Structures are given as C-alpha cells and as structure tokens.
Amino acid sequence: MVFYISKLRFGLVGYGTRGKYWIFALRSKRDVDMVAVCDIREKAAKKAATLSGADFYTDNYEEFIKQDLDAIVIATPHFLHAPQTILAAENEINVLCEKPMAITLKECDDMIRAANQNDIKLSIGFQHRFDEQYIKMKQAIDAGALGDIFQINLSFRKWRSEMYYEQSTHHWRGRWTTEGGGVLINQAVHFIDLFQWLGGDIENIFASAKISRHEFQEVEDNVNAIVNFKNGAHGQFHSAITYDYDKGIELGIYGTKASLVWRNHKLHNSMTRKAKRNSFWGDLKKNLKHPHLENFIQSIKEDDKSIISVNGEEGRKSIEFIRGIYMSEISGRKVRFPVNDNGTFPTLGRYYKTEWENL
C-alpha cells in the first residue's frame, strides 16, 4: 500500500460552470496542490489560473498533461471526455471525469480499458451517490425494509431556454456529435444514475424520445420510457426540459412493506400497518464537504482502486441506459440489456453543423 506524504499535484481541464466548482473544491483540500489549468478560451484559462494560483494552458492539452501531475479533473464538453481521459491514462495520470462519462458505450469501454492498462484511478462525477438521503434509500432497499420492490418511478421536469444553448462554447450543446444527447445525457443524467443504482440491473427498456419545444436543436427534450428490472420491478421514467412551469423532480421506490419518495429535495416515507419503523427513516445527516473528491483522493493516496465509489464500470451504466433509449427510439422496439450500441443517434430534427467541426 502506498501513502502520499506530500501534496497531490492536481490539474483542471475546462473552466465552465463545473470547472468553477472544482477550483473551489480542490483549493479546500489541504492535501492538494493545484498546479495547472487548461481551457481553449484564453480569458477563461487566465481567470482559472488567477483563482487557483496555477499555471494556465489554452490549446495545448498535450503540454498540460506533461506537468508532472498526479491527477486531473475533466470538466469539458461531453465529446472530449473520452479522448482526454485516455491521453491522461497513457501518461499515468489519475482522472476524475465529470458526468456524463462519455457519449457512447464504445467510448466508455475505451476509457475503462485505458485506465486498467495504465493502472490509474478513474472516477466518474456522480456526486449524488454520496448524499445521505440517497444512501438511506439504498440501504433501506438492500436491507429489505421496503419489502419486495415492485415499482420505481422517476419524473424529471425542468426547463432550458434557447440562450442556454447559444451561450455554450462553439455551440456544443444541443448537437449529437458534441453533447451526445439532450435532457438525458445532460440535465437528467444524475437521476438516471440514481434510478438504475437504486433499481438494480435492467432487463429491457421501451422508449420514445422527442423534440417538443426546442426545435432549434438536434437532440431530445422530452422522453418517456417503460423499464423492466431483473428483480421483477417495473419502472416508469419521464425526463424533459420542456416545463417552464410546474417544474420538479420526483424519484419513488415502492415495495410491499413501504415506499420512499424523494420529491424536490425532501425524502418522504409511507408504510403499511404491518411494517416497523426503523433507523432508515431517521434524521438526515449533513454531508462532508466534497465527499466525492475526498473519495477519489483517498483512492490515490492509498493506491486502492476498490475505494472508488463510482468507477468507470459504474459510470458506464447511465450511458447504457441512455443508449438503450436511443436504440429503442430508432428501432421502435423494446431493447434488451446489455445494449448493443451501434453508436448511431436518432433523427429527431434537422442537422446543425457545430463550430467545433471547423477547429
């Protein structure tokens, strides 16, 4: 077992909304030294460097990863996650990659292979798994406190304006080749991760994906699906960014003894008269600061991949769910798991050429 005595040398790729969070998180850790930041936008790279005290790099990612780094955080547009992770792995740099892991299953598999071949730690940015409320839901299910699970429902209702897409660098959002999808892979992906983490292995999925209110983009904004889990549970899934009214998120797990429903940041419990109240319904504890990052750091310092709570194999599951929906929309049929992902995307609207194609 290897223990680091000196500080871990970290780099950050991408100074967008999540990049700003990561600078704050990394600077809060006493055992981390931020030494390099990278962004293709020079103004953003300089600002990140000023906030972090690190050196900055713009269009030379290869030079950035040569800075004797122990680990990097990748917070770039989705289509860059796989190539940037693989190149970092080939330089023996540990990677914490933001969600989503990638945009196809092949990319996920390539990332996992690169991490294994180069013996680096790979963690995927699903921080909700560290939230006490979801941990309690998982513990209650695994302990049988809800009885036999027969129904799992997710309703994700949000809104995104046209400006949200226009403000993305080189218009990477709303395009299949750069975002890799719409509401599924961007806004709802955290709850897709929780849906399958709490529900368990999936047997099959039948889905419909549409563009209902965002005709200026290629990707879906409204999705409905019926999911069958291997444990016999039935799933009802809805996610959309078409609601500029009546917004909300609800994730419900229903068993023969009790139910747990997470609704708009509050956890609700109902039970049959025969069910006994237990510790799972107690008061929720406040999370530690940045537990996901702490988990990643610990795995590096102790040189132990098994410490990582959301590794590449776990991060891949949400992409398989999303790709299953797209394959169902394309074929008009129920799709069985494991998903045979051919890497294609459904045709929902007109094709838009992205500015990234000119770079």
Side-chain angles (χ1 to χ4, degrees), residues 147-165:
D148 296 328
I149 306 301
F150 61 84
Q151 184 71 33
I152 304 170
N153 297 334
L154 174 62
S155 176
F156 181 95
R157 306 182 311 279
K158 292 288 184 178
W159 170 251
R160 288 295 184 271
S161 67
E162 185 170 356
M163 184 177 295
Y164 168 80
Y165 295 91

Side-chain angles (χ1 to χ4, degrees), residues 2-22:
V2 177
F3 289 92
Y4 277 75
I5 298 175
S6 58
K7 291 185 175 183
L8 293 173
R9 293 171 58 85
F10 261 79
L12 170 68
V13 193
Y15 182 65
T17 302
R18 290 300 292 169
K20 295 172 184 177
Y21 161 81
W22 283 115

Side-chain angles (χ1 to χ4, degrees), residues 335-353:
V335 171
R336 290 190 172 276
F337 281 54
V339 173
N340 181 17
D341 182 9
N342 61 15
T344 61
F345 298 95
T347 301
L348 304 179
R350 58 167 292 189
Y351 167 76
Y352 292 86
K353 185 175 181 179

Side-chain angles (χ1 to χ4, degrees), residues 128-325:
H128 286 0
R129 290 207 197 184
F130 296 86
D131 288 354
E132 184 71 14
Q133 52 199 343
Y134 304 123
I135 292 174
K136 278 187 175 290
M137 293 177 78
K138 178 68 170 173
Q139 289 173 340
I141 294 168
D142 292 347
L146 275 64
D148 296 328
I149 306 301
F150 61 84
Q151 184 71 33
I152 304 170
N153 297 334
L154 174 62
S155 176
F156 181 95
R157 306 182 311 279
K158 292 288 184 178
W159 170 251
R160 288 295 184 271
S161 67
E162 185 170 356
M163 184 177 295
Y164 168 80
Y165 295 91
E166 291 296 321
Q167 289 179 337
S168 62
T169 304
H170 298 301
H171 297 91
W172 70 270
R173 293 191 184 115
R175 308 290 184 260
W176 290 117
T177 56
T178 48
E179 190 174 23
V183 60
L184 291 175
I185 207 165
N186 198 333
Q187 291 79 30
V189 69
H190 278 298
F191 284 89
I192 290 173
D193 177 63
L194 293 173
F195 185 75
Q196 59 81 25
W197 183 52
L198 296 173
D201 293 337
I202 295 171
E203 182 72 31
N204 56 61
I205 190 168
F206 181 69
S208 174
K210 303 293 181 185
I211 297 176
S212 294
R213 298 191 63 185
H214 296 76
E215 292 81 6
F216 53 85
Q217 66 179 25
E218 300 173 350
V219 298
E220 84 288 344
D221 64 4
N222 190 7
V223 177
N224 287 279
I226 298 298
V227 182
N228 288 304
F229 293 88
K230 288 185 177 180
N231 60 14
H234 203 54
Q236 183 175 341
F237 175 89
H238 171 59
S239 68
I241 48 172
T242 55
Y243 295 86
D244 49 353
Y245 59 91
D246 194 29
K247 304 172 190 175
I249 305 173
E250 181 174 309
L251 175 60
I253 315 292
Y254 299 86
T256 53
K257 293 181 180 179
S259 68
L260 282 174
V261 179
W262 185 93
R263 184 183 301 116
N264 297 332
H265 306 287
K266 291 184 180 181
L267 188 59
H268 306 269
N269 168 236
S270 299
M271 61 186 67
T272 66
R273 292 181 179 180
K274 295 180 180 180
K276 294 181 180 180
R277 184 169 292 276
N278 56 57
S279 60
F280 295 115
W281 324 134
D283 294 334
L284 299 178
K285 298 178 182 178
K286 291 184 178 180
N287 285 332
L288 298 172
K289 286 187 176 181
H290 317 298
H292 182 196
L293 176 59
E294 193 62 44
N295 176 257
F296 180 57
I297 290 172
Q298 183 185 0
S299 73
I300 297 172
K301 294 174 71 174
E302 298 188 18
D303 192 24
D304 186 355
K305 291 182 180 180
S306 68
I307 291 174
I308 299 175
S309 295
V310 192
N311 57 21
E313 287 78 6
E314 286 297 303
R316 182 187 188 276
K317 291 180 179 179
S318 57
I319 300 302
E320 184 171 30
F321 185 94
I322 293 167
R323 294 300 303 170
I325 287 178

